[in-house]
Amino acid sequence: MNSMKIFIGTFFLLFILSVPNFAQVQLNGALDLELSGGGEDSRFIGNGIPKKFQNHNFSVTQLNAFLFAPINDHIFFESRIQLDTWGSGKLNPPRISLASLTWDNPDNPYVIRVGRFISPFGFYTKRQLSTDRVFVQHPLAYSYFTNISDIRGFWPEAGNNTNAEYEEGDVGLPTLYFAGYTNGIGASWEIKKDKMFLDAAITNGTPMTIRDRSTLPNLALTSRLFYRTSIFWEQGLSFSFGNFMQADPLNNSVRTDESFQKYYQLLLGTDTKIAFTYFEIIGEIIYSKWKTTGFISNQFDESCGGNLCDYDLSNISGNIDFKYELPGVTGSYIALRAEHLAFLDDVAFDNPNYDENQPDDEPEFIFRNWDEDVSRLTAVFGYKLAPNVLLKASFSDQRDFDLSEYALRIQLSSFF
């Protein structure tokens, strides 16, 4: 509520400042309608379909209001107020996704922005609207929840191992927050005209942070270097390093002894886009490394000499997208995506078969990956009904490919 009041107050102040340019104020909107269904093991944190809505469900999945208000020739304010069904499958209260002030002088090769804006990391964060995306769902790195919590650290009961739904509380986090917005100050620099660009931002957390604000003095540096080598080939390199843990009553007792600012996430990514005739190929690889604490057997792991134990964990994901525009049907396309998310480090888990009376029978600990690898295949058919109206039919399956986690979505997206 406080953030909404601040936003409204800021909006009216900037509106007054922009009165001389009122004719240039732009108001737009976007609406997504979706018919969806999924397999018996569907969950939002896994395949994006909440379990209670795994049977065919029709809903307004997103409604947006956009404002662009110039203050003078070089400064403008832009915002996005969003209603969606993210997480729960039910329409959430309105939230402010975007609220930023930007300085952009066409005579200079750089742009400066402050407030809440799109994170520069990765290829897909720039495609926030459904009308800008080939697929309905984001890749695994952006949407699949892992055994990492921002209040517990490494937590084996999170992600795919929990029976809880997203709306019930902490269920872990994806490698990247697919909504793609962050708070801080950022800049864009056109290094070589129409060829090379650098986006960088100092923010209140790494791109996995889903909170509107940080509860600890977190800091992160995130950037993306984009190079258009030719008319048909574009290459991106992304980097992020910073804090991600958050304060919570659950971790108050351990934070009195050790600072959570020592825990961090390192992200490295590379993406490629190749387009020629009716074909488009997009590929992205993202590597993530965490230094974090652990929450084991319902308590923080303090088995390292009475201190919090540190865990060094990493994963890597990759996806490749193929799109083909059907030459005989203008505005239509078919697309396929293959992707995999792999967890690279082994950790020690209690062996349920261990018997302390027969120590030679079974080892006390067993070592396995800190989370379970997952693969996903997706097929989609899209048809542009109008310049700003896109119809998509998507089918995906993952993990064991036995249809227990399939997701079917028919989505109608519009921008107006």
Side-chain angles (χ1 to χ4, degrees), residues 149 151-152 155 170 247-255 260 295 298-300:
S149 162
I151 61 176
R152 291 175 169 90
W155 186 27
D170 186 11
D248 187 86
L250 183 73
N251 57 41
N252 280 344
S253 60
V254 293
R255 283 191 297 106
F260 273 23
F295 195 80
N298 211 32
Q299 62 184 352
F300 283 95

Side-chain angles (χ1 to χ4, degrees), residues 294-398:
F295 195 80
I296 312 297
S297 300
N298 211 32
Q299 62 184 352
F300 283 95
D301 187 357
E302 298 182 277
S303 61
C304 299
N307 299 317
L308 286 176
C309 292
D310 293 342
Y311 287 82
D312 292 304
L313 307 173
S314 59
N315 68 343
I316 189 168
S317 66
N319 66 275
I320 184 165
D321 304 349
F322 297 92
K323 175 188 175 185
Y324 176 64
E325 297 180 2
L326 302 174
V329 186
T330 303
S332 66
Y333 67 85
I334 56 174
L336 300 173
R337 170 183 287 164
E339 52 185 323
H340 185 71
L341 174 61
F343 298 89
L344 304 179
D345 303 291
D346 289 341
V347 296
F349 292 88
D350 292 332
N351 186 351
N353 299 319
Y354 174 70
D355 185 350
E356 61 181 6
N357 297 318
Q358 296 179 320
D360 296 331
D361 186 36
E362 289 279 353
E364 183 177 359
F365 301 103
I366 55 177
F367 291 84
R368 64 173 186 266
N369 286 0
W370 63 276
D371 206 337
E372 295 182 27
D373 293 2
V374 59
S375 298
R376 180 188 290 162
L377 295 174
T378 305
V380 63
F381 170 78
Y383 182 66
K384 189 169 287 189
L385 302 174
N388 292 320
V389 180
L390 180 60
L391 177 66
K392 288 180 280 190
S394 169
F395 180 84
S396 67
D397 199 12
Q398 61 192 54

Side-chain angles (χ1 to χ4, degrees), residues 98 167 403:
L98 168 68
E167 59 185 318
L403 298 182

Side-chain angles (χ1 to χ4, degrees), residues 6 18 29 140 154 185 204 210 216 226 237 300 352 388 412-413:
I6 293 171
S18 66
L140 289 167
F154 169 55
I185 182 170
N204 67 342
I210 67 174
L216 292 175
F226 170 78
L237 298 171
F300 283 95
N388 292 320
L412 181 67
S413 307

Side-chain angles (χ1 to χ4, degrees), residues 96-100 114-118 177 181-183 211-212:
I96 303 167
S97 299
L98 168 68
S100 65
V114 62
R116 185 165 179 78
F117 49 83
I118 296 175
Y177 176 39
Y181 289 100
T182 189
N183 300 320
R211 301 170 186 251
D212 292 338

Side-chain angles (χ1 to χ4, degrees), residues 1 4 63 81-86 88 90-97 212:
M1 182 61 69
M4 182 64 76
L63 178 62
I81 298 179
Q82 179 177 342
L83 291 89
D84 58 32
T85 58
W86 195 84
S88 64
K90 299 176 293 187
L91 202 61
N92 299 311
R95 59 191 174 94
I96 303 167
S97 299
D212 292 338

Side-chain angles (χ1 to χ4, degrees), residues 197-251:
F197 306 84
L198 176 66
D199 283 349
I202 297 175
T203 66
N204 67 342
T206 60
M208 75 184 298
T209 302
I210 67 174
R211 301 170 186 251
D212 292 338
R213 61 184 180 87
S214 176
T215 53
L216 292 175
N218 289 339
L219 197 65
L221 171 64
T222 303
S223 64
R224 180 173 184 261
L225 180 67
F226 170 78
Y227 183 46
R228 184 176 290 117
T229 60
S230 65
I231 194 172
F232 59 85
W233 182 16
E234 300 174 357
Q235 185 70 41
L237 298 171
S238 298
F239 165 85
S240 180
F241 180 83
N243 310 116
F244 72 95
M245 296 292 288
Q246 302 288 337
D248 187 86
L250 183 73
N251 57 41

